[in-house]
Structures are given as C-alpha cells and as structure tokens.
C-alpha cells in the first residue's frame, strides 16, 4: 500500500467489514496470538486501538477471529508490540473459512473492497479479467502456473475465481466496466475450444446493462495505459482506490494524487478503445472464425 492513505474499516459498511463467513482455524489462531501479545504488553483493547489507530471494534473482531487483519493493522501492531515478527509472519498464512481460499495473499484486501464497491473499473492487457473468465479458461491459467499446483490447490484456485464472479449477478445495479486488449482475446490459451468457450462466456457476462466491455484494438495509434493493468473502484463512502498487480505481488493504492492520475489514464483509454457495440461485434467476429 502506498503511504498516501490507509484503507481501514471506515471504507467498508458496518456489517461487511466484520463479517467473515465460517472463520478458519488460521483466522482464530492469528486473533488469539494478537490478543495474547497485546495482553502481555499490558494494553487494554481501547488503549491498543488508539495506539494502532483502528477502532476498538476492529481490534476485537480480529482478536475473536471474526475478520481478516488489514495490512496496516498488522504492521502497526508489530511496531506497538516489539517487532517480534510473529504477527507479520503468521498473517501470510491466514485465510477465511471460505472466501479467501485460493486467493493470493496480496489480493485479499482488494477482493474485500470489490464486494462492497459502488463501481468497479478494470483494464487488462495480459489476460481476461478474473470476473469474466470462463471455468475452462481459468483452469488453463492455473494449469500453466509455475511452480505446478497440486490438484487440490488448482481446484481451490478455480473455485475462488468462480466465487468472485457472483458479484456480477448478485449486484445488478453496480456498474462494472472493463477495457481489455484485443490480443488477450486472440490468445489461444488452452487451445481453440477454450478460446471459443471464453468468447461465449464474455459475450454472455457483458450482456447485462450494468456491465460494459470495451476492446482496445491492436492497431490503435494512441494508448493511455502503456504502464500496465489497473483496477479502480469507489467505496460506499465515496473514496476512490486503485490496485496494480505484477508477478507475485500486488499493490493497493490509496494515495489520492496517484489514484487521480490512474483515473485520468483510464478515462482517456475509454475514449481510445472501441465503443461497447463495436467491441461486442469484434468478439462475435473472433468467435465466428473459430
């Protein structure tokens, strides 16, 4: 996360920030360790909450295993409790009982924010965005992962990917906007049959009124997002946040100036990409060629 701001519970609706369905043993264990370290240091929950600049309610929820620990909370707790490394190291292995299984550690906070965002924008130049991936395509992606995944890990990854996609169906009044490079849809990852399934899936999932897809053509002479993929969202409190991901890492961006710059680039790219109707026509032509 950048240093220009902190994303904590005020960016999430009251119930969503605390509610973790079927908390995992690792989540409960992390909370118990955090509570034990706090008590050993002699802090009450109220005193500790003031020290780490989170609400008492948030601290309590984490200690009782009811919510995932935010990155900022882990780091501030480490500093307040002697920098033993116990919380920092153990937080890497914390998962929810359901929603975080199969999600990369660096992606989890963004995934939480996605679930309550009032708008979501995505630009991708490497692969089909996760929210639009057909099961066959997602499976091909994970089968190509290096190092190789076990069968159990692969199934968990696919299940998590498909679970995230429920947002598109369950939140019909939330606008989802995607800009994807034409080359992504032309890549035959997994073979011709997988490509055919993926094109059908994208056409189906982008048909609802709240989902918009624009394709960036390969022959475009202008391009505002040459620095790579980016995701943008607006929280229920009206705050704009961004997320950038590379190999084996991801970065939640909260600094207002940096987020503003990324929004400007995305808005410019919108004007450079094909409009939704022409984008759909291009995908239909690609589908017809298979």
């Amino acid at each position: 996360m950048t240093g220009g701001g902190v994303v904590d519970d005020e960016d999430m609706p009251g119930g969503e920030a605390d509610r973790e369905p079927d908390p995992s043993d690792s989540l409960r264990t992390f909370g118990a360790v955090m509570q034990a370290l706090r008590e050993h240091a002699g802090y009450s929950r109220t005193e500790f909450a003031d020290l780490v600049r989170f609400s008492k309610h948030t601290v309590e929820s984490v200690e009782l295993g009811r919510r995932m620990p935010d990155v900022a909370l882990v780091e501030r707790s480490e500093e307040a409790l002697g920098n033993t490394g116990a919380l920092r190291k153990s937080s890497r292995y914390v998962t929810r009982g359901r929603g975080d299984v199969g999600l990369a550690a660096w992606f989890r906070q963004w995934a939480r924010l996605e679930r309550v965002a009032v708008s979501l924008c995505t630009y991708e130049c490497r692969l089909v965005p996760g929210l639009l991936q057909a099961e066959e395509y997602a499976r091909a992606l994970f089968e190509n992962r290096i190092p190789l995944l076990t069968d159990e890990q692969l199934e968990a990854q696919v299940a998590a990917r498909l679970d995230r996609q429920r947002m598109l169906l369950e939140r019909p009044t939330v606008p989802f906007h995607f800009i994807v490079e034409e080359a992504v849809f032309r890549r035959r990852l997994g073979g011709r049959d997988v490509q055919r399934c993926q094109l059908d899936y994208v056409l189906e999932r982008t048909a609802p009124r709240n989902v918009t897809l624009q394709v960036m053509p390969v022959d475009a002479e202008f391009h505002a997002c040459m620095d790579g993929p980016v995701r943008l969202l607006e929280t229920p409190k009206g705050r704009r946040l961004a997320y950038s991901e590379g190999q084996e890492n991801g970065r939640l961006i909260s600094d207002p100036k940096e987020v503003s710059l990324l929004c400007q680039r995305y808005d410019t790219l919108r004007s450079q990409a094909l409009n939704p109707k022409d984008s759909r026509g291009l995908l239909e032509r690609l589908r017809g060629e298979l």
Side-chain angles (χ1 to χ4, degrees):
M1 187 183 305
T2 61
V6 173
V7 181
D8 56 29
D9 51 314
E10 71 178 15
D11 291 303
M12 310 283 286
E16 185 67 27
D18 298 323
R19 189 170 56 251
E20 300 294 349
D22 304 321
S24 64
D25 289 341
S26 64
L27 192 57
R28 294 190 183 97
T29 300
F30 178 90
V33 170
M34 180 173 163
Q35 181 176 351
L37 290 173
R38 171 183 62 76
E39 292 174 347
H40 181 73
Y43 297 118
S44 68
R45 275 198 182 128
T46 300
E47 292 170 336
F48 188 70
D50 291 339
L51 197 61
V52 296
R53 304 195 303 281
F54 274 77
S55 69
K56 176 186 175 183
H57 186 62
T58 295
V59 172
E60 180 181 21
S61 293
V62 171
E63 289 186 349
L64 296 179
R66 293 201 304 250
R67 66 165 286 174
M68 289 292 292
D70 297 278
V71 175
L73 177 58
V74 173
E75 291 300 320
R76 294 176 195 171
S77 297
E78 276 283 2
E79 294 172 6
L81 298 173
N83 277 313
T84 64
L87 295 178
R88 189 178 293 114
K89 291 179 180 179
S90 61
S91 67
R92 301 172 189 169
Y93 305 100
V94 176
T95 63
R96 292 190 183 93
R98 183 180 67 188
D100 275 346
V101 176
L103 293 182
W106 58 81
F107 184 72
R108 290 170 187 160
Q109 188 174 13
W110 182 260
R112 291 178 59 227
L113 290 163
E114 275 187 333
R115 294 202 299 267
V116 295
V118 297
S119 69
L120 185 68
C121 297
T122 301
Y123 164 63
E124 258 297 351
C125 57
R126 308 162 304 173
L127 69 167
V128 175
L131 292 177
L132 298 178
Q133 289 178 10
E135 180 175 352
E136 296 84 352
Y137 182 92
R139 191 172 295 278
L141 277 176
F142 295 126
E143 287 176 347
N144 278 274
R145 182 66 56 84
I146 297 176
L148 295 176
L149 302 175
T150 66
D151 290 344
E152 182 180 7
Q153 289 171 329
L154 190 149
E155 293 304 323
Q157 296 271 23
V158 172
R161 183 64 46 90
L162 298 179
D163 185 63
R164 277 185 61 228
Q165 295 180 3
R166 292 188 304 169
M167 287 190 293
L168 293 177
L169 302 175
E170 295 174 350
R171 310 190 70 203
T173 61
V174 173
F176 293 86
H177 189 274
F178 301 90
I179 303 176
V180 184
E181 295 289 335
E182 178 183 345
V184 168
F185 294 115
R186 289 187 176 276
R187 182 176 296 121
R188 289 187 178 174
L189 182 70
R192 187 186 298 267
D193 289 342
V194 171
Q195 184 186 19
R196 184 183 297 111
C197 289
Q198 181 57 64
L199 289 170
D200 286 341
Y201 195 76
V202 170
L203 288 168
E204 174 189 345
R205 286 303 174 108
T206 58
R209 290 184 296 114
N210 66 312
V211 183
T212 304
L213 171 68
Q214 290 183 251
V215 175
M216 192 65 185
V218 294
D219 58 357
E221 297 182 6
F222 301 95
H223 199 301
C225 283
M226 293 300 292
D227 287 347
V230 65
R231 305 180 195 190
L232 303 162
L233 62 74
E234 183 179 352
T235 73
K237 298 290 186 180
R239 188 177 185 187
R240 286 188 169 187
L241 301 168
Y243 177 79
S244 177
E245 188 171 81
Q247 295 205 19
E248 299 303 312
N249 67 82
R251 186 166 69 105
L252 177 58
I253 303 168
S254 56
D255 178 74
K257 291 184 179 179
E258 190 171 358
V259 174
S260 177
L261 173 61
L262 294 175
C263 286
Q264 291 176 44
R265 290 178 181 174
Y266 190 91
D267 288 343
T268 302
L269 192 66
R270 265 181 148 164
S271 67
Q272 297 167 338
L274 297 177
N275 64 45
K277 181 179 179 181
D278 291 342
S279 296
R280 194 171 185 83
L282 174 59
L283 295 188
E284 289 171 345
R285 289 195 299 275
L286 290 178
R287 175 63 177 83
E289 293 172 3
L290 296 174

